[in-house]
Amino acid sequence: MDIYLPNLREGVRIKTKMIRVRQQVLHPKFSLCWWRRSSVVAHHIRAKVGLRGTAAHINQASSWSHPFQSDSSTLILPSFPCNIIATLFSVRRLKSTVTGKQLDSLHATDNDDDDQALDFPGGKVSYTSEMKFILGCSDKRIPCYRVLDDDGEQIRGSDFQQVNKELAVKMYSDMVTLQMMDTLFHEAQRQGRISFYITSFGEEAINIASAAALSKDDIVLPQYREPGVLLWRGFTLQEFANQCFGNKADDGKGRQMPIHYGSSKHNFVTVSSPIATQLPQAAGMAYSLKIDKKDACAVAFIGDGGTSEGDFHAGLNFAAVLEAPVIFVCRNNGWAISTPISEQFRSDGIVVKGKAYGIPSIRVDGTDALAVYSAIHAARDKAINVQGPVLVETLAYRVGHHSTSDDSTKYRPLDEIEYWKTVRNPVHKFRKWVEISGWWTERDEAELRRSIKKQLLQAIQVAEKTEKPPLAELFADVYDLPPSNLLEQEKQLRETINKYPQDFPSDVSLCI
């Protein structure tokens, strides 16, 4: 086989004859054979152009070794070029190699393995004579960043983004509003007034605090437990009610399930039922923002169960390679419907998955509004100014059922739910901190809850009385010219209505 090896020192191209190697790429001994015969190439080049060095160090490589070394507990890459700098979110991109440097590394001085490195595409990799494997998991788990303790008191020496009274009060007010909205809409579903609902109990701080740390220009791609982000951005209680009741005032024209909110005005992409599809989309949107030089990023939310989908890995890898300004926020709430995280993955949660894709990552206490706000604020700054993705794993227990179609008491103990509902309640914790700061009183609390309850009840009554969209809307807004199959469906529906008019709701216009 003819091999062309460039020599940048001499500026010449050397053509070297090498023993023909059978192209058994998948054979386990192929790499070993290549390294052994590389000494032949090195010797031929040295003889032709007088390069310094001997073939001895290449012969050393023929003793196949795994390029990893370890200490007593964890196996790591000691000289890998993307070692984490001991600062929050700091990481540097691997630089492309230069052919000349590759040739230099092949002819380094004949020292021990520690003095040699393979200048492989992506960065130098040190050698070791010990065969060691990187451990799949470590006994020591990644710590969880927090600012407030369970009593709502600030931890001494904690590092966080300062918030003023106005911001803190709005954050708390919206957390209460979200909690009350979930309570009343959940009751409305149980009364048969709406068909479906999902609550955010236990995850109010993730919703509101992350939204508070973002800009209105940032594009949010939610899963289905982020209505608080939309609430923070100005989506009214009446608009929430209209969507859940699917009436004419609903921007989605009643064609989506309840809680599938969306608003282009608020840069909130409509919720999609399929899990994790929004993550590759977020990478693409973020890359578009980067190309257009926008001072904004994309923010994609996902639950711990969604990380088991292929789109999670595709989304993170695309974002990392493209250096797209996107924040991936994973709500690790312990349960993917009835599947506990212990049955989803062997890794230490979600945060460690970012490292595999070269993405700076952090684990945050999702019941701590100040910690979430600070982490998302720092993540946004890095995503935009450094240009690249960030992964944020928030730990907050899902206190409510997965949805109104679920009964979580069938697969988890009541005392566990009660503990997180009372002791680790994010709304109670943040209220204590706001009160300690002197910005909130019992009177403020009573007035807020009275006002929110009145607004919610009125919004529900109005939404329930508002006429439903006509059936003709089912066939609009998708195609400029409806295809034949859609026209056929419309015809069949018309015939069915004429034949069984009594089977259709009286408050829906049957004109199509």
Side-chain angles (χ1 to χ4, degrees):
M1 176 172 63
D2 292 342
I3 301 295
Y4 289 89
L5 294 177
N7 185 326
L8 298 185
R9 289 192 184 128
E10 318 301 332
V12 298
R13 199 174 190 181
I14 312 296
K15 181 178 181 180
T16 305
K17 291 292 184 179
M18 179 180 177
I19 300 174
R20 185 172 301 275
V21 181
R22 293 179 62 193
Q23 300 300 305
Q24 299 173 336
V25 179
L26 298 180
H27 195 283
K29 295 183 178 179
F30 176 74
S31 298
L32 177 60
C33 295
W34 189 92
W35 278 108
R36 285 175 174 169
R37 290 168 181 172
S38 63
S39 60
V40 178
V41 180
H43 178 79
H44 193 82
I45 294 176
R46 187 171 60 257
K48 288 289 184 182
V49 297
L51 294 179
R52 292 192 300 272
T54 68
H57 71 285
I58 297 182
N59 288 331
Q60 291 173 355
S62 64
S63 298
W64 184 254
S65 59
H66 203 285
F68 302 107
Q69 67 182 28
S70 69
D71 55 23
S72 59
S73 60
T74 305
L75 297 166
I76 58 173
L77 278 170
S79 302
F80 204 67
C82 59
N83 287 334
I84 301 290
I85 300 174
T87 54
L88 184 63
F89 295 141
S90 184
V91 69
R92 64 188 180 93
R93 179 175 171 79
L94 305 181
K95 296 182 179 179
S96 300
T97 56
V98 179
T99 308
K101 292 182 178 180
Q102 289 179 324
L103 197 59
D104 289 341
S105 68
L106 287 175
H107 301 279
T109 57
D110 297 336
N111 295 327
D112 294 335
D113 288 343
D114 290 341
D115 296 327
Q116 300 178 27
L118 171 63
D119 200 355
F120 197 74
K124 289 186 177 181
V125 180
S126 297
Y127 291 115
T128 178
S129 57
E130 297 181 81
M131 183 174 66
K132 296 291 184 179
F133 293 88
I134 294 178
L135 294 177
C137 55
S138 174
D139 293 336
K140 186 176 181 181
R141 303 192 66 183
I142 301 296
C144 183
Y145 166 66
R146 71 171 182 167
V147 177
L148 303 178
D149 62 20
D150 291 340
D151 294 323
E153 296 187 7
Q154 181 182 329
I155 299 171
R156 181 176 299 180
S158 56
D159 180 20
F160 69 100
Q161 184 70 29
Q162 298 291 331
V163 298
N164 57 29
K165 176 181 178 180
E166 181 182 5
L167 180 60
V169 169
K170 177 171 170 50
M171 286 172 62
Y172 177 69
S173 298
D174 278 8
M175 288 171 69
V176 172
T177 302
L178 175 60
Q179 192 178 68
M180 294 184 66
M181 182 178 77
D182 279 348
T183 299
L184 290 181
F185 282 2
H186 184 271
E187 291 177 357
Q189 192 281 331
R190 290 300 191 230
Q191 296 167 359
R193 300 163 78 176
I194 59 177
S195 61
F196 180 79
Y197 196 72
I198 287 180
T199 65
S200 301
F201 295 138
E203 300 176 72
E204 295 90 348
I206 301 173
N207 270 251
I208 303 302
S210 59
L214 300 173
S215 162
K216 64 179 181 179
D217 296 323
D218 297 329
I219 301 175
V220 174
L221 295 91
Q223 188 179 20
Y224 43 61
R225 220 179 292 273
E226 288 78 34
V229 178
L230 200 48
L231 175 67
W232 178 271
R233 293 191 166 194
F235 206 69
T236 67
L237 297 179
Q238 189 62 64
E239 288 176 305
F240 280 113
N242 290 338
Q243 199 285 325
C244 287
F245 280 87
N247 58 35
K248 288 181 66 174
D250 171 28
D251 287 340
K253 299 184 178 181
R255 293 180 291 194
Q256 280 275 18
M257 290 173 60
I259 67 87
H260 285 58
Y261 311 110
S263 174
S264 57
K265 181 175 70 173
H266 297 99
N267 278 331
F268 191 91
V269 178
T270 303
V271 174
S272 178
S273 288
I275 303 298
T277 55
Q278 69 273 20
L279 301 188
Q281 296 167 2
M285 289 185 180
Y287 189 61
S288 176
L289 293 172
K290 177 180 181 178
I291 295 296
D292 293 339
K293 294 181 171 30
K294 299 288 187 180
D295 186 25
C297 66
V299 186
F301 289 85
I302 188 69
D304 51 271
T307 65
S308 297
E309 295 285 342
D311 280 344
F312 171 80
H313 304 279
L316 264 63
N317 194 50
F318 269 119
V321 173
L322 296 174
E323 296 183 321
V326 54
I327 306 173
F328 296 105
V329 183
C330 176
R331 296 175 291 92
N332 186 346
N333 58 28
W335 295 88
I337 308 184
S338 59
T339 304
I341 56 175
S342 59
E343 296 180 11
Q344 285 191 68
F345 35 73
R346 286 289 303 276
S347 63
D348 178 14
I350 313 302
V351 65
V352 295
K353 299 180 188 294
K355 186 175 182 180
Y357 295 104
I359 297 178
S361 311
I362 187 172
R363 172 174 283 162
V364 184
D365 182 356
T367 68
D368 182 348
L370 280 185
V372 174
Y373 175 80
S374 300
I376 298 298
H377 189 280
R380 182 183 186 275
D381 180 71
K382 179 171 182 59
I384 293 176
N385 296 325
V386 182
Q387 289 292 295
V390 179
L391 173 63
V392 179
E393 178 190 19
T394 58
L395 303 183
Y397 191 82
R398 191 197 79 213
V399 172
H401 306 299
H402 175 75
S403 71
T404 50
S405 302
D406 171 50
D407 181 2
S408 62
T409 63
K410 300 297 185 182
Y411 53 80
R412 56 185 188 174
L414 287 173
D415 58 349
E416 178 179 290
I417 300 174
E418 188 63 24
Y419 168 76
W420 285 91
K421 184 178 181 179
T422 54
V423 180
R424 303 299 309 280
N425 189 302
V427 180
H428 295 170
K429 181 188 294 188
F430 194 59
R431 176 187 174 179
K432 291 178 182 178
W433 181 79
V434 177
E435 287 177 337
I436 292 173
S437 301
W439 298 336
W440 198 252
T441 64
E442 193 66 41
R443 181 179 179 179
D444 295 327
E445 184 75 15
E447 290 180 355
L448 173 66
R449 291 186 177 274
R450 183 169 52 250
S451 174
I452 297 303
K453 184 176 181 179
K454 180 179 179 180
Q455 293 178 51
L456 281 167
L457 290 175
Q458 182 179 3
I460 290 174
Q461 291 173 359
V462 171
E464 195 170 28
K465 293 178 181 178
T466 302
E467 184 182 1
K468 296 292 189 291
L471 286 182
E473 295 289 358
L474 286 175
F475 305 96
D477 301 330
V478 179
Y479 299 98
D480 181 26
L481 296 175
S484 58
N485 65 320
L486 194 61
L487 294 174
E488 180 63 25
Q489 292 174 28
E490 183 178 359
K491 177 183 177 183
Q492 291 177 356
L493 178 58
R494 186 183 299 110
E495 293 172 348
T496 304
I497 291 173
N498 293 332
K499 190 174 182 179
Y500 307 104
Q502 71 279 2
D503 292 340
F504 289 82
S506 58
D507 60 342
V508 177
S509 174
L510 302 182
C511 299
I512 57 175

